[in-house]
């Protein structure tokens, strides 16, 4: 799916608040969805742009040097955690959503050249009508061990449909609500491995919305049936990590999901998104080895002065009119 990468898009125009939050996902949502899980593996297909009524071709991403397994990556951020709701988190909690839950496909934030990569979906296509999107699902995405009463079963199309219903429910205030309200006509599940979504008219940004870390999380239907307060304060999914703890003022701690469908990943034992009161404290934690990276809206230690405008050039003096030629001999009087 060819397009300019994240940094080119970031430099190409003004950044909205939500775009900035999505940028914060470079350290949070992006890292687990890409580098920490092991983006660039030769055996993980990239989602190609679908052709009408034809199976989607997939291409292998370039292989990378095999990383060592183990360890915990610790990311710092400032601000509030504000829960870990899979569909409306935009603060610190949004850093944990993409690690615990699955998506039909994921947007590669660190490797924009890779575009979208399949996750819960294994293929998709657009029918000849230009509005019907069909997604075929993998059958080995197993819900992680938990003590919340959610059965440890494989995710299926009904989990996708129930997640879509929640995204489209206005009172939920889901980040994807605007997309569903404006563009989605209907969706259903013909069988356990198939999901169909029909747009109101042809729309080129369906994949972009469903693959967005802030919008497209697929959640077990049993967990969605729990009280909204529970869904906001804890997370149960089939993603690469499991939630270990979440606490305002401390952050989010996660551990590897032993039942993740990719048996070689994630490479990390744990992934922490740690809360700091200000940027100065974050920098101290980084320099002392308490964290491995941090996210900030302004990475410079001091304010950057505005550039000095160039001096106004002097107004050019118009040339003097030419002196009329002297007549010779002088005219007679």
């Amino acid at each position: 799916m060819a397009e300019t990468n994240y940094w080119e898009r970031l430099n190409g125009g003004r950044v909205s608040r939500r775009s900035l939050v999505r940028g914060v996902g470079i350290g949070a949502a992006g890292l687990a969805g890409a580098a920490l899980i092991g983006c660039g593996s030769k055996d993980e297909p990239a989602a190609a742009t679908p052709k009408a009524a034809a199976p989607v071709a997939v291409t292998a991403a370039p292989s990378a040097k095999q990383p060592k397994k183990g360890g915990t990556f610790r990311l710092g951020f400032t601000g509030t955690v504000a829960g870990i709701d899979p569909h409306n988190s935009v603060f610190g909690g949004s850093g944990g959503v993409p690690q615990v839950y699955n998506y039909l496909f994921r947007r590669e934030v660190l490797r924009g050249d890779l575009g979208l990569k399949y996750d819960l979906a294994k293929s998709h296509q657009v029918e000849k009508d230009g509005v019907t999107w069909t997604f075929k699902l993998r059958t080995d995405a197993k819900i992680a061990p938990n003590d919340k009463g959610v059965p440890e079963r494989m995710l299926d199309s009904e989990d996708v449909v129930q997640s879509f219903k929640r995204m489209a429910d206005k009172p939920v205030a889901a980040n994807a609500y605007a997309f569903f309200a404006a563009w989605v006509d209907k969706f259903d599940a013909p069988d356990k491995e198939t999901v169909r979504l029909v747009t109101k008219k042809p729309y080129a940004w369906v994949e972009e919305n469903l693959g967005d870390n802030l919008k497209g999380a697929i959640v077990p239907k049993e967990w969605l049936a729990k009280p909204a307060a529970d869904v906001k304060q804890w997370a149960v999914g089939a993603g690469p990590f499991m939630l270990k703890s979440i606490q305002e003022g401390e952050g989010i701690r996660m551990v590897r999901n032993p039942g993740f469908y990719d048996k070689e990943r994630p490479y990390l034992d744990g992934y922490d998104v740690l809360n700091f009161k200000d940027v100065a404290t974050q920098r101290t934690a980084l320099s002392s080895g308490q964290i491995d990276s941090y996210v900030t809206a302004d990475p410079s230690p001091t304010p950057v002065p505005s550039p000095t405008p160039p001096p106004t050039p002097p107004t050019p003096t118009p040339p003097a009119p030419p002196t009329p030629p002297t007549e010779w001999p002088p005219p007679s009087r």
Side-chain angles (χ1 to χ4, degrees):
M1 199 169 294
E3 65 167 292
T4 56
N5 65 33
Y6 173 83
W7 295 110
E8 291 171 336
R9 286 186 281 121
L10 183 63
N11 291 329
R14 297 180 61 187
V15 181
S16 67
R17 177 180 177 276
R18 179 150 296 181
S19 296
L20 178 60
V21 172
R22 186 176 294 107
V24 170
I26 294 170
L31 283 176
L36 299 186
I37 296 176
C39 99
S41 168
K42 63 182 180 181
D43 58 356
E44 184 174 350
T49 303
K51 297 180 180 180
V56 176
V58 294
T59 57
S63 61
K65 184 177 180 181
Q66 185 68 21
K68 294 181 180 179
K69 287 191 173 184
T72 298
F73 183 82
R74 302 159 301 173
L75 173 76
F77 78 99
T78 58
T80 62
V81 176
I84 192 170
D85 189 290
H87 296 134
N88 61 30
S89 291
V90 293
F91 295 101
S94 64
V97 171
Q99 288 84 354
V100 177
Y101 294 108
N102 297 87
Y103 295 69
L104 290 176
F105 20 64
R106 293 175 182 263
R107 164 65 58 192
E108 288 289 0
V109 181
L110 295 183
R111 288 288 306 277
D113 58 306
L114 297 182
L116 294 171
K117 298 186 72 177
Y118 287 123
D119 183 7
L120 186 56
K122 62 182 182 181
S123 68
H124 70 300
Q125 68 182 43
V126 183
E127 306 301 336
K128 290 182 178 180
D129 60 9
V131 297
T132 302
W133 295 71
T134 303
F135 305 90
K136 292 293 184 179
L137 308 182
R138 66 187 311 133
T139 59
D140 57 353
K142 187 177 182 180
I143 298 171
N146 65 91
D147 59 2
K148 304 300 181 181
V150 179
E152 296 176 30
R153 58 169 181 81
M154 304 300 177
L155 291 179
D156 58 36
S157 59
E158 188 59 28
D159 299 296
V160 179
V161 167
Q162 292 304 318
S163 295
F164 282 179
K165 285 182 178 180
R166 190 170 190 260
M167 297 175 201
D169 186 7
K170 187 174 182 179
V172 172
N175 299 323
Y177 173 74
F179 162 65
F180 275 84
W183 293 100
V184 177
D185 180 29
K186 57 185 177 181
F187 45 82
D188 65 357
D191 57 58
K192 286 192 173 185
E193 298 177 27
T194 306
V195 174
R196 287 184 304 206
L197 181 145
V198 180
T199 56
K200 298 175 182 178
K201 56 184 177 179
Y203 186 53
W205 299 94
V206 171
E207 297 153 317
E208 182 73 20
N209 279 275
L210 297 180
D212 191 308
N213 286 331
L214 294 176
K215 297 178 181 179
I218 304 303
V219 184
K221 60 186 177 183
E222 296 89 352
W223 186 234
L224 290 179
K226 301 286 185 178
D230 292 354
V231 177
K232 181 180 178 67
Q233 296 303 323
W234 199 256
V236 178
F241 291 91
M242 304 183 300
L243 185 61
K244 180 181 179 182
S245 67
I246 177 171
Q247 184 175 337
E248 197 66 62
E250 178 183 337
I252 303 169
R253 297 183 186 274
M254 293 163 285
V255 296
R256 179 195 292 126
N257 175 7
F260 186 53
Y261 63 76
D262 188 333
K263 303 307 178 185
E264 297 299 318
R265 304 176 195 164
Y267 299 117
L268 292 172
D269 293 329
Y271 181 58
D272 297 342
V273 182
L274 303 177
N275 197 187
F276 292 89
K277 63 179 182 180
D278 52 49
V279 174
T281 308
Q282 277 190 132
R283 293 194 183 106
T284 300
L286 180 67
S287 61
S288 64
Q290 298 176 52
I291 58 176
D292 303 297
S293 179
Y294 71 81
V295 177
T296 178
D298 178 11
S300 59
T302 56
V304 178
S306 300
T308 303
T312 304
T315 303
T317 303
T323 303
T326 302
E327 296 186 36
W328 190 262
S332 59
R333 300 183 184 276

